[in-house]
Amino acid sequence: MGYRQYDPQQPQQNLYPNLGPAADVSMPRNYQQGYGNQMPLDGQSFTSGPHGIPTVATNFNSPGPQEYGVNNTFPLTPNLGVLGQPVVQDMAMQYGQQLAGAGKTMIKQEMEKYVPVSQLRYYFAVDTKYVVSKLTLLFFPFTHSDWSVKYEQNGPVQPRYEINAPDLYIPTMAYITYILVAGLVLGMQDKFSPEQIGITASSALAWCIIELVIYSAILYILQVETSIKTLDLLAYSGYKFVGTIVSILISLMFGSTGFFISIIYTNLALAFFLVRSLKVQVLAEQGTKDQSYYGAPNTAGHKRRLYFLLFVAGSQIVLSWWLSFHLVPASSVVPVAPATPV
């Protein structure tokens, strides 16, 4: 008994005499003997050998270990019959729809905390007929008589059905158009630059926010209780861009003289429009609320409301001129050449 060198040409001993000489190579290596209750693998079946020892009958027509991968492991095919049933698929689809609906509702609730999307839909509910009628009202408010706003059960009527209702579509489009017109005028004056357009847009937006904060602060300090909402004030303060655009365009054709005539008329029309529109919502709140201790009308509350109306109208005139005067092209004076002596 000594060390014997391994000879690769020497035939190896058959480890599985019951399976024949060819079973040594194709025998799956992950099979373990001694487990009588082991389930047969693909291409195999258990039979009872001598002395009750189970043996394996291998189907050599089945794929060999080299066809399953490097690790010589057999693929595990899951039972997908239950998942393919229509009832299970319908339940999964309904659960997915419910989950998507819950996520959509949660996102909507979080957005409502910061951006009132449902309220913004009301202010943008306009059509072409309303836009034309509202623009006509802004330029010719003296011909309008009924300034009351109609209400439904859930709130005021949408702007498309009520010309007196405030909207945010016209102020938004007028603001964008104002920036475009400013770029056109600056280009004609050889002053156009992206930085200048950015300054014009940001300054106009900043003034809108500042005046909105001032209006809200005045209403709070003077304790004026009205039905005007913050978005209503934003809409009314945005109408000044309409007259500003028209005045700038007229100045391109008729110079500074045409600009001053246009800005004066459009601002007077805007002031009249604002006073008549806000009067219904501001002064109409008096009555039972503005009563003194002895039942006499509280004239101080009425005066505060009236002063607020005049302040809003006057501030719009000033801001309209401030946002447009620097865009008016200066009238060029052509120098006269001196007469040459004869």
Side-chain angles (χ1 to χ4, degrees):
M1 299 277 307
Y3 173 75
R4 186 177 57 182
Q5 184 177 5
Y6 171 73
D7 186 6
Q9 301 297 331
Q10 184 180 0
Q12 299 181 5
Q13 185 180 0
N14 188 357
L15 301 178
Y16 304 95
N18 296 330
L19 300 180
D24 294 337
V25 179
S26 302
M27 182 64 190
R29 300 179 181 179
N30 57 355
Y31 171 71
Q32 300 179 4
Q33 296 183 359
Y35 294 91
N37 57 349
Q38 184 174 0
M39 298 298 296
L41 301 177
D42 294 338
Q44 301 176 357
S45 60
F46 291 99
T47 58
S48 178
H51 306 288
I53 300 175
T55 60
V56 181
T58 305
N59 183 8
F60 296 101
N61 294 327
S62 61
Q66 66 277 6
E67 299 184 16
Y68 289 104
V70 181
N71 296 328
N72 297 331
T73 57
F74 291 89
L76 299 178
T77 304
N79 187 10
L80 300 178
V82 178
L83 298 179
Q85 297 296 328
V87 178
V88 179
Q89 293 179 357
D90 293 341
M91 293 177 60
M93 184 179 298
Q94 293 179 1
Y95 178 76
Q97 292 177 354
Q98 293 177 359
L99 185 62
K104 184 178 180 180
T105 304
M106 184 180 300
I107 295 175
K108 184 177 179 181
Q109 292 177 355
E110 293 296 329
M111 290 183 62
E112 285 288 343
K113 295 180 180 179
Y114 305 99
V115 181
V117 180
S118 59
Q119 297 182 10
L120 289 176
R121 291 179 180 176
Y122 165 79
Y123 291 95
F124 284 92
V126 299
D127 54 7
T128 306
K129 181 180 178 181
Y130 168 82
V131 173
V132 175
S133 301
K134 197 58 172 284
L135 292 177
T136 305
L137 181 61
L138 290 174
F139 289 107
F140 306 101
F142 313 103
T143 60
H144 195 62
S145 57
D146 186 12
W147 295 89
S148 60
V149 180
K150 298 180 179 62
Y151 283 82
E152 294 179 337
Q153 183 178 1
N154 298 328
V157 182
Q158 292 182 354
R160 69 179 67 179
Y161 306 115
E162 177 56 53
I163 190 175
N164 296 323
D167 71 284
L168 287 175
Y169 176 80
I170 294 179
T172 303
M173 294 295 104
Y175 170 75
I176 297 175
T177 307
Y178 166 77
I179 299 174
L180 297 178
V181 172
L184 174 63
V185 174
L186 293 175
M188 296 177 63
Q189 299 176 2
D190 295 333
K191 299 179 181 178
F192 178 82
S193 64
E195 294 79 8
Q196 191 65 29
I197 289 296
I199 293 173
T200 303
S202 59
S203 61
L205 182 61
W207 278 114
C208 291
I209 297 175
I210 290 173
E211 63 177 321
L212 185 63
V213 173
I214 292 175
Y215 297 155
S216 302
I218 291 175
L219 291 176
Y220 177 77
I221 294 173
L222 298 181
Q223 297 180 357
V224 178
E225 298 181 1
T226 65
S227 59
I228 299 178
K229 300 178 182 179
T230 305
L231 293 178
D232 293 343
L233 293 174
L234 182 61
Y236 285 120
S237 63
Y239 288 133
K240 63 178 175 290
F241 289 105
V242 178
T244 303
I245 295 170
V246 173
S247 301
I248 295 174
L249 293 177
I250 290 178
S251 68
L252 297 177
M253 297 181 291
F254 302 101
S256 58
T257 304
F259 168 77
F260 285 113
I261 295 176
S262 176
I263 199 68
I264 290 174
Y265 175 79
T266 54
N267 284 334
L268 289 178
L270 178 63
F272 185 85
F273 167 80
L274 292 176
V275 171
R276 295 302 301 269
S277 299
L278 295 176
K279 179 181 178 181
V280 179
Q281 303 184 44
V282 176
L283 297 182
E285 295 295 329
Q286 65 173 349
T288 57
K289 294 183 180 180
D290 289 344
Q291 298 290 333
S292 64
Y293 179 78
Y294 297 100
N298 188 1
T299 58
H302 180 75
K303 289 182 179 180
R304 289 197 299 266
R305 301 171 192 273
L306 184 60
Y307 292 155
F308 175 75
L309 290 179
L310 296 177
F311 176 77
V312 171
S315 62
Q316 294 302 303
I317 295 175
V318 175
L319 289 174
S320 178
W321 176 81
W322 178 262
L323 294 174
S324 58
F325 83 96
H326 64 282
L327 298 174
V328 178
S331 57
S332 58
V333 179
V334 180
V336 179
T340 58
V342 180

